[in-house]
Amino acid sequence: MTIMSMPLNNETLVALLVGSVVKFLGLGIISSRKRKELVGHVSRLYVFPLKSARELPGETHEVELTEYGIVYRGAGDRHWLVTRNGDMMTMKQSARLTLINTSLEADFLCLDAQGMDTLRLSLQPEVDPKRVSNVTVKETPLPALDLGDKAAAWVSAVLRMDGLRLHHAAPGLQRRLSCKVQKAWPTQIADTDEVAFQDFGHCMIMTESSLDELNDRLPEQMSAIPFRPNVIVDGSRPFDEDNWKEVHFGESAAVRYVDKCTRCLITTIHHETAEKYKDDQPLTELKKYRCMPPYGPKPCMGIHTVVLKPGHIRLGDPVYVLRR
């Protein structure tokens, strides 16, 4: 006798009905977890070729997301670095780094600063093993191409410091494992995630609404540039990015969350003048409402992500997310 031909009493019918409902609800929950949610659109794109220097100028309409981060017309984001005694230099060591303007000209990255001739650097330099040396980023060494005495003299003159060198994470050189960065809290970084001179991830994401909420609290309006994001998303709730597990840009590229971005004194330096904002803003204000476990006294704004699916990110792309 088959189940379909068996006589069913009330208890059996109830049991079957409850089982069906539970199964339906369970499948619905699983399906909702996998469903991508439209949260906004890409409103701005930024690329910072030289760490702590200015962004590439003009409106960037499209960038490529690669296994090592954002690339625009052959220039990788944070793929050039000023060093002193082999250690990375950022605005923490010299605020004058933000006075260096970057631009692209044919196959060259161009660096400009007031009173200086343009320094042109090949986007595809010859990697001479004799010019490769180890530099230290976030206490982690990695090989980088020394760009020579002329470049060293140029950055030393701009920053008004002796003994500086300029390095490039040139194509073909070994990259740095992000998991080697020591943090006092757990992250979602994988053992295989590699970066160049970025602090931790491939793509830093913020939202327009988060910046708007901060500016509503500040006496002086702030640009997004001191936060140095790669992608800004418009249309979401303030700080909704805290909850994003995966971020998909249109149908092409995707990244996954690895950590919140904790903010430091670099955000207190005006990106055009290299002068400090009054009262250590915006850190002072951020500490009032953006400190949270397990980050202690460091306020969070934006998220670090790594590449999940290489592709292109374009202005206006719809942004879909899976939530954490």
Side-chain angles (χ1 to χ4, degrees):
M1 180 180 295
T2 66
I3 293 177
M4 293 300 296
S5 62
M6 289 175 59
L8 299 179
N9 55 32
N10 289 339
E11 289 80 8
T12 304
L13 286 171
V14 170
L16 289 172
L17 180 59
V18 170
S20 298
V21 170
V22 169
K23 182 178 180 181
F24 175 80
L25 292 175
L27 290 174
I29 291 172
I30 294 172
S31 177
S32 66
R33 288 176 179 172
K34 294 182 178 180
R35 190 181 303 124
K36 290 187 291 186
E37 173 188 345
L38 177 65
V39 294
H41 294 79
V42 175
S43 58
R44 288 187 265 178
L45 293 168
Y46 292 111
V47 181
F48 301 88
L50 174 60
K51 192 176 183 71
S52 274
R54 293 296 303 278
E55 77 282 5
L56 290 175
E59 189 173 55
T60 303
H61 290 275
E62 180 178 336
V63 297
E64 184 179 3
L65 178 67
T66 74
E67 60 180 330
Y68 300 125
I70 299 290
V71 175
Y72 177 68
R73 290 175 49 192
D77 182 71
R78 278 91 161 184
H79 273 53
W80 284 261
L81 177 73
V82 177
T83 63
R84 192 178 198 187
N85 299 322
D87 293 329
M88 76 170 179
M89 292 278 296
T90 70
M91 279 190 284
K92 290 180 183 178
Q93 290 76 39
S94 175
R96 291 184 60 82
L97 270 164
T98 193
L99 301 178
I100 298 177
N101 294 300
T102 65
S103 61
L104 296 176
E105 179 184 289
D107 295 326
F108 294 91
L109 171 68
C110 299
L111 304 184
D112 286 282
Q114 186 174 9
M116 301 291 295
D117 292 334
T118 298
L119 179 65
R120 290 177 172 81
L121 306 168
S122 174
L123 295 176
Q124 295 289 333
E126 179 183 352
V127 180
D128 183 349
K130 295 179 181 179
R131 293 170 53 201
V132 175
S133 58
N134 275 340
V135 301
T136 302
V137 178
K138 294 290 183 180
E139 302 180 358
T140 306
L142 77 159
L145 181 66
D146 188 304
L147 297 179
D149 293 341
K150 179 182 177 181
W154 193 93
V155 294
S156 294
V158 173
L159 302 189
R160 300 173 183 172
M161 299 175 69
D162 295 329
L164 304 184
R165 306 296 294 184
L166 184 60
H167 286 88
H168 178 36
L173 293 181
Q174 179 183 344
R175 294 300 191 257
R176 175 176 126 257
L177 288 171
S178 283
C179 63
K180 298 292 185 180
V181 177
Q182 297 297 314
K183 294 204 174 193
W185 52 83
T187 72
Q188 302 299 314
I189 204 71
D191 292 341
T192 54
D193 292 328
E194 294 182 317
V195 292
F197 302 137
Q198 304 99 320
D199 279 0
F200 196 61
H202 297 138
C203 178
M204 208 287 279
I205 300 176
M206 283 174 42
T207 59
E208 297 280 8
S209 58
S210 299
L211 183 61
D212 289 344
E213 180 169 308
L214 173 62
N215 275 324
D216 287 343
R217 296 167 173 261
L218 294 176
E220 180 181 352
Q221 296 289 286
M222 278 201 67
S223 162
I225 300 302
F227 297 99
R228 313 187 79 73
N230 294 116
V231 179
I232 299 186
V233 177
D234 194 15
S236 69
R237 300 184 302 274
F239 300 104
D240 191 44
E241 62 269 33
D242 289 351
N243 305 305
W244 298 350
K245 179 181 180 180
E246 293 180 9
V247 186
H248 296 253
F249 305 102
E251 301 299 326
S252 176
V255 295
R256 59 179 177 82
Y257 168 94
V258 290
D259 199 10
K260 290 184 177 67
C261 188
T262 54
R263 294 305 177 170
C264 65
L265 289 172
I266 285 178
T267 60
T268 68
I269 299 170
H270 195 290
H271 63 289
E272 293 181 339
T273 66
E275 300 292 330
K276 289 283 292 284
Y277 284 103
K278 293 180 181 179
D279 303 320
D280 277 341
Q281 295 293 10
L283 276 188
T284 299
E285 189 62 34
L286 281 171
K287 287 179 179 180
K288 294 178 182 178
Y289 72 111
R290 288 297 297 168
C291 288
M292 61 193 73
Y295 303 101
K298 297 183 178 181
C300 300
M301 186 159 181
I303 57 174
H304 290 297
T305 68
V306 295
V307 62
L308 180 64
K309 178 184 175 185
H312 290 82
I313 307 174
R314 302 172 179 85
L315 280 185
D317 270 352
V319 178
Y320 303 92
V321 304
L322 296 179
R323 294 187 176 275
R324 296 196 290 125

